[in-house]
Amino acid sequence: MTPLSRLVGVFGELLLTLGALVLAFVAWQLWWTDVAANASQREAVTGLERTFADQPADQPLARIPTPKPGEAFAVLRLPRLGTGYATPVYEGTDKRTLTQGVGHYRGTALPGEIGNFAVAGHRMTYGGPFRMMEELRAGDLAVVETVAGYAVYRLGPSYITSPDHFVALEPTPEQPGVAPTKASITLTACHPKYASTYRMIVHGTLAHTYPRSQGLPADLARQLGLPAGPTASGKATTAPTTTPTTKAGR
Amino acid sequence: MYAALWRHLPGPTWVRALLMLVLVVLVLAVCVQWLFPWVADVVPFNEQTVEAPSSVRSVG
């Protein structure tokens, strides 16, 4: 074998190896990240529910402490996407945070607070919490649970826009410079799936809040696959809050 | 390249094949643990956020 043909052989093998690694990356991204994230996000929701149940239940909803970057601090439920649909909300929207669940845009309002509670989530890979986002219809509910209770938002229609449409995150969504008078929610995700050319966005406004001590009304709790709140079920104890999570898993 | 690696591995054929398999699994494990997450961070294929151009960034 001449040195040249040996060199060509090694080069060919390197190319084959590179091709195999690219295939492995695609398999990892499209399949394995979902497998890993589904398990870890369910675990995160369970952990959050346990933490919430252990806390004293007398905080006003919009007065929860500002979460630290990367901290899981809320559970988002979208009953349209399934009775048991629950995804953890982390503080921050950097790529690493979004691999864990839904990310809260730093500096935007907290759940139930006047202003815009804005979150971003994947529609594919890493568990794809917003995979079925196109199924959301105007009038659907988005329920955000924090340590202090539940903020129930009523969603408007979704729309497709460009990635630099950051006015969606303004305290009054879409209206820069307008002081907020309402508590809003904003969900953002990529569009179309498997690409990042556009963004899909849904806004909503706060319809109800339920402090933890009161719990959810029975019909809403049923929609979310959760046990009804202590007052709704006629019991004065807070004991039922220790078990909601096993039913919340997808 | 792989032929040379094969020649340098010790033992009979089945031991060499086993060692090859272990090496492949090791390489894939390193990729999944460190390389792939890093690549996913760097490539702009999977963005979910709306952002201002950095000069006028207000939130995000």
Side-chain angles (χ1 to χ4, degrees):
Chain A
M1 230 190 326
T2 67
L4 179 68
S5 71
R6 183 172 299 166
L7 204 67
V8 169
V10 168
F11 183 64
E13 284 182 340
L14 280 175
L15 284 183
L16 285 172
T17 310
L18 193 68
L21 283 181
V22 169
L23 281 180
F25 173 75
V26 170
W28 171 83
Q29 179 81 90
L30 293 184
W31 171 70
W32 181 250
T33 60
D34 274 342
V35 175
N38 280 336
S40 73
Q41 287 175 17
R42 228 183 343 254
E43 217 168 274
V45 169
T46 311
L48 277 168
E49 295 287 357
R50 200 172 299 134
T51 321
F52 293 165
D54 288 346
Q55 299 283 327
D58 53 0
Q59 281 171 285
L61 195 70
R63 293 279 178 278
I64 61 165
T66 307
K68 290 184 277 295
E71 181 189 348
F73 70 99
V75 177
L76 171 67
R77 293 192 169 83
L78 298 165
R80 166 73 71 184
L81 306 188
T83 304
Y85 177 98
T87 182
V89 183
Y90 291 81
E91 177 68 357
T93 50
D94 58 283
K95 278 193 164 183
R96 282 293 161 96
T97 305
L98 291 184
T99 64
Q100 298 176 281
V102 168
H104 172 234
Y105 286 90
R106 300 204 67 202
T108 66
L110 290 169
E113 194 181 5
I114 297 288
N116 190 1
F117 173 67
V119 297
H122 278 282
R123 281 182 78 201
M124 38 154 294
T125 68
Y126 306 103
F130 288 167
R131 183 182 302 276
M132 307 303 284
M133 193 169 170
E134 68 274 19
E135 302 285 320
L136 292 173
R137 295 287 172 267
D140 283 356
L141 298 181
V143 181
V144 185
E145 180 182 4
T146 67
V147 66
Y150 303 84
V152 181
Y153 296 89
R154 194 165 290 283
L155 297 176
S158 63
Y159 64 95
I160 311 294
T161 183
S162 64
D164 62 359
H165 188 75
F166 60 95
V167 291
L169 308 180
E170 293 290 337
T172 303
E174 314 293 335
Q175 295 174 34
V178 176
T181 55
K182 286 186 292 190
S184 306
I185 189 172
T186 297
L187 316 178
T188 76
C190 64
H191 186 84
K193 286 178 184 173
Y194 302 101
S196 297
T197 325
Y198 301 102
R199 297 292 179 273
M200 179 175 270
I201 295 183
V202 181
H203 297 300
T205 48
L206 191 67
H208 292 287
T209 57
Y210 301 99
R212 181 161 299 281
S213 52
Q214 183 189 344
L216 289 169
D219 58 334
L220 182 56
R222 202 174 316 113
Q223 272 191 63
L224 300 173
L226 292 174
T231 48
S233 62
K235 281 181 250 167
T237 69
T238 52
T241 50
T242 52
T243 51
T245 50
T246 45
K247 289 176 187 170
R250 270 187 284 169
Chain B
M1 185 170 77
Y2 290 115
L5 179 61
W6 183 262
R7 278 196 302 277
H8 282 88
L9 287 175
T13 306
W14 70 269
V15 172
R16 291 178 188 207
L18 200 69
L19 283 173
M20 269 300 202
L21 198 70
V22 169
L23 284 176
V24 167
V25 168
L26 260 178
V27 167
L28 282 179
V30 168
C31 285
V32 165
Q33 192 64 37
W34 292 289
L35 181 67
F36 291 168
W38 176 80
V39 172
D41 263 6
V42 174
V43 296
F45 296 152
N46 209 354
E47 316 264 348
Q48 318 300 321
T49 54
V50 285
E51 269 170 54
S54 49
S55 54
V56 289
R57 178 182 299 246
S58 56
V59 277

